[in-house]
C-alpha cells in the first residue's frame, strides 16, 4: 500500500472542490448555452489537469503507481462517456432548456462524486477485511458486462425509473422550469420544478453507474487514493465533455459493446487476483500495464469501427445500453440487441 500523507489527500480534495466550485458558480450565476469553443477549451483544461496530476503522482510515487492512476483514469473516462448517453436521454426526455443544462450537469457531477466517495470508502474497507470481495466484485462486473452486451441496442427507460416515478407521485411539481430554480413558493405553497426531478433522475443514474465503475477501477488498483483521484478527475471533465461530444454520441454505435468487453476483462482480472491470493499463488495475475493496453486497444477499436459503421450506414444510431430489458420488450416486443 502507498503511504499517502494527510497533506496530499487534503491538497487533492481541495483542488477538486475548487474546480467544482468554479463550475458551480459559473452554472448558477451565468446560465447560458455552452458553445463548441467553450466546451473544447474546458475539456482540454480538465484533461490537462488530470494528466498534470498523473505526471506529478508518477514522479512522487513511482511508475507502477502512475500506471495504475492512468489506467484507472482511462477506465473511468470511458465509462463516463456512457454516462453522457444517459444524460442526453434525460435532458431530451424532460426537455431541459439548453441554458440550464450546465447547472444540471454540474449538480449531477457533485452528486456522482459524493456517491463514489462513499462507495470507495466502503469498497476499500471491505477489500482490506475480506479478500473474497475481489471475487464478488469480479462476478458483479461479469454480470454487468453480460447484461450490457445483451441490451447494448437499448436505452434506459428514464420515465419509468422507480426514483423518477416516486418523485412525480409524492412531490408537487410546476409545469415550467421557472427560470432554472429548483424550489419555488407559489400562492403560499412550496413547489418543486421539473429541474428538481431531472436532478433526481441524474442522481439515480449516478448511483447505478457508481455500482459499476467503483468495482471496475478497483480491478485496476486497490489503492483508495488512486481510485478516488481517477474517479474525481474523470468526472470533473464530464460537464464540458457533454457539450463537446453530445452531437457525436449517436455515432459511437459500438461503445456499449466495447464497455461490456472492458468490464468483463476487469471482472476476470479481479477473479484471477482472488484466486491467486486465496487459492493458489500459481494462478496468474494480469499486470496493470497489460490492463492499460487492453483498455486502450478496445477503445480505439470501438471508436474506429463505430465511425466506419456510421460512415457506411449514416442512419445507424448509437444507444446507451441498458442493464435490463426496456418496458417495450417486457410488454412482448422484440429484442433489438
Amino acid at each position: 500500500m502507498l503511504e499517502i500523507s494527510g497533506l496530499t489527500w487534503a491538497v487533492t480534495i481541495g483542488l477538486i472542490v475548487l474546480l467544482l466550485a468554479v463550475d458551480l458558480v459559473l452554472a448558477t450565476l451565468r446560465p447560458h448555452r455552452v458553445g463548441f469553443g467553450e466546451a473544447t477549451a474546458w475539456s482540454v483544461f480538465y484533461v490537462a489537469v488530470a494528466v498534470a496530476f498523473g505526471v506529478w503522482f508518477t514522479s512522487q510515487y513511482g511508475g507502477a503507481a502512475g500506471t495504475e492512476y492512468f489506467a484507472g483514469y482511462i477506465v473511468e473516462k470511458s465509462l463516463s462517456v456512457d454516462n453522457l448517453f444517459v444524460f442526453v436521454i434525460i435532458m431530451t426526455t424532460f426537455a431541459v432548456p439548453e441554458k440550464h443544462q450546465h447547472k444540471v450537469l454540474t449538480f449531477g457531477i457533485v452528486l456522482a462524486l459524493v456517491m463514489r466517495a462513499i462507495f470507495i470508502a466502503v469498497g476499500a474497507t471491505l477489500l482490506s477485511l475480506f479478500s473474497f470481495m475481489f471475487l464478488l466484485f469480479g462476478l458483479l462486473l461479469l454480470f454487468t458486462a453480460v447484461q450490457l452486451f445483451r441490451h447494448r441496442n437499448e436505452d434506459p427507460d428514464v420515465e419509468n425509473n422507480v426514483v423518477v416515478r416516486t418523485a412525480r407521485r409524492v412531490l408537487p411539481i410546476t409545469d415550467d422550469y421557472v427560470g432554472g430554480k429548483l424550489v419555488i413558493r407559489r400562492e403560499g405553497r412550496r413547489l418543486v420544478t421539473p429541474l428538481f426531478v431531472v436532478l433526481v433522475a441524474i442522481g439515480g443514474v449516478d448511483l447505478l453507474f457508481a455500482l459499476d465503475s467503483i468495482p471496475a477501477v478497483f480491478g485496476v488498483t486497490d489503492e483508495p487514493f488512486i481510485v478516488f483521484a481517477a474517479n474525481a478527475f474523470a468526472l470533473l471533465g464530464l460537464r464540458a465533455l457533454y457539450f463537446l461530444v453530445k452531437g457525436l454520441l449517436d455515432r459511437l454505435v459500438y461503445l456499449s459493446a466495447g464497455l461490456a468487453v472492458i468490464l468483463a476483462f476487469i471482472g476476470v482480472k479481479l477473479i484471477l487476483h482472488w484466486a491467486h491470493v486465496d487459492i493458489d499463488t500459481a494462478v496468474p495475475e494480469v499486470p496493470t500495464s497489460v490492463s492499460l493496453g487492453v483498455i486502450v486497444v478496445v477503445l480505439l477499436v470501438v471508436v474506429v469501427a463505430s465511425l466506419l459503421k456510421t460512415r457506411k450506414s449514416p442512419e445507424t444510431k448509437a444507444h446507451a445500453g441498458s442493464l435490463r430489458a426496456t418496458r417495450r420488450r417486457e410488454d412482448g416486443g422484440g429484442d433489438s440487441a
Side-chain angles (χ1 to χ4, degrees):
M1 297 290 287
L2 295 177
E3 293 294 333
I4 306 295
S5 67
L7 178 61
T8 300
W9 271 102
V11 171
T12 302
I13 294 173
L15 174 62
I16 291 164
V17 170
L18 175 63
L19 292 171
L20 276 175
V22 171
D23 237 9
L24 198 56
V25 168
L26 289 176
T28 304
L29 298 183
R30 196 169 66 91
H32 63 288
R33 180 183 181 277
V34 178
F36 181 81
E38 181 181 351
T40 301
W42 278 108
S43 295
V44 171
F45 169 75
Y46 281 121
V47 170
V49 169
V51 171
F53 177 86
V55 171
W56 169 83
F57 185 72
T58 302
S59 69
Q60 294 295 312
Y61 296 96
T67 301
E68 290 182 2
Y69 165 77
F70 281 110
Y73 175 75
I74 293 173
V75 167
E76 293 304 314
K77 202 68 174 176
S78 60
L79 290 172
S80 72
V81 175
D82 209 36
N83 276 48
L84 295 183
F85 271 108
V86 184
F87 286 171
V88 169
I89 293 169
I90 291 173
M91 300 289 191
T92 303
T93 300
F94 293 98
V96 179
E98 286 195 4
K99 65 179 181 180
H100 299 316
Q101 291 181 8
H102 187 159
K103 179 189 293 186
V104 170
L105 288 167
T106 304
F107 275 108
I109 292 169
V110 172
L111 287 173
L113 279 172
V114 171
M115 290 180 185
R116 294 185 188 205
I118 295 171
F119 275 97
I120 289 168
V122 173
T125 301
L126 290 174
L127 289 174
S128 65
L129 295 175
F130 311 105
S131 59
F132 70 84
M133 290 303 300
F134 285 104
L135 172 63
L136 295 183
F137 279 4
L139 293 174
L140 173 62
L141 289 181
L142 284 177
F143 172 78
T144 302
V146 170
Q147 290 296 97
L148 182 59
F149 187 80
R150 287 182 61 201
H151 307 301
R152 63 192 180 279
N153 291 328
E154 300 177 22
D155 291 318
D157 193 349
V158 175
E159 283 284 8
N160 288 302
N161 179 279
V162 63
V163 177
V164 175
R165 290 205 313 269
T166 302
R168 286 188 179 280
R169 186 168 60 249
V170 303
L171 297 175
I173 303 173
T174 64
D175 293 327
D176 56 345
Y177 280 90
V178 197
K181 296 179 180 178
L182 299 177
V183 181
I184 66 166
R185 182 175 292 277
R186 182 178 289 173
E187 297 179 355
R189 189 181 178 208
R190 193 176 295 276
L191 306 173
V192 301
T193 71
L195 201 62
F196 183 88
V197 180
V198 171
L199 289 181
V200 169
I202 285 183
V205 167
D206 286 337
L207 177 61
L208 292 176
F209 274 100
L211 288 170
D212 297 330
S213 65
I214 297 305
V217 75
F218 268 118
V220 174
T221 176
D222 58 1
E223 293 287 348
F225 179 80
I226 297 178
V227 173
F228 173 76
N231 266 275
F233 285 112
L235 286 174
L236 280 175
L238 194 59
R239 188 269 309 172
L241 189 63
Y242 170 85
F243 292 106
L244 180 63
V245 306
K246 67 177 182 177
L248 302 176
L249 287 176
D250 282 346
R251 301 184 64 187
L252 297 178
V253 294
Y254 296 124
L255 178 63
S256 294
L259 291 178
V261 172
I262 290 174
L263 291 177
F265 170 77
I266 297 176
V268 171
K269 183 178 186 295
L270 282 169
I271 293 171
L272 288 175
H273 176 73
W274 165 79
H276 179 86
V277 172
D278 280 10
I279 298 180
D280 190 343
T281 55
V283 176
E285 290 196 273
V286 181
T288 302
S289 57
V290 173
S291 300
L292 178 59
V294 169
I295 293 165
V296 170
V297 169
V298 170
L299 291 175
L300 286 175
V301 170
V302 164
V303 172
V304 173
S306 294
L307 295 179
L308 291 175
K309 174 67 175 179
T310 52
R311 183 178 181 180
K312 183 178 179 181
S313 305
E315 72 282 356
T316 305
K317 300 297 181 183
H319 296 274
S322 177
L323 298 185
R324 63 183 181 88
T326 62
R327 179 168 294 273
R328 182 182 68 253
R329 186 183 172 189
E330 290 170 355
D331 291 340
D335 186 359
S336 61

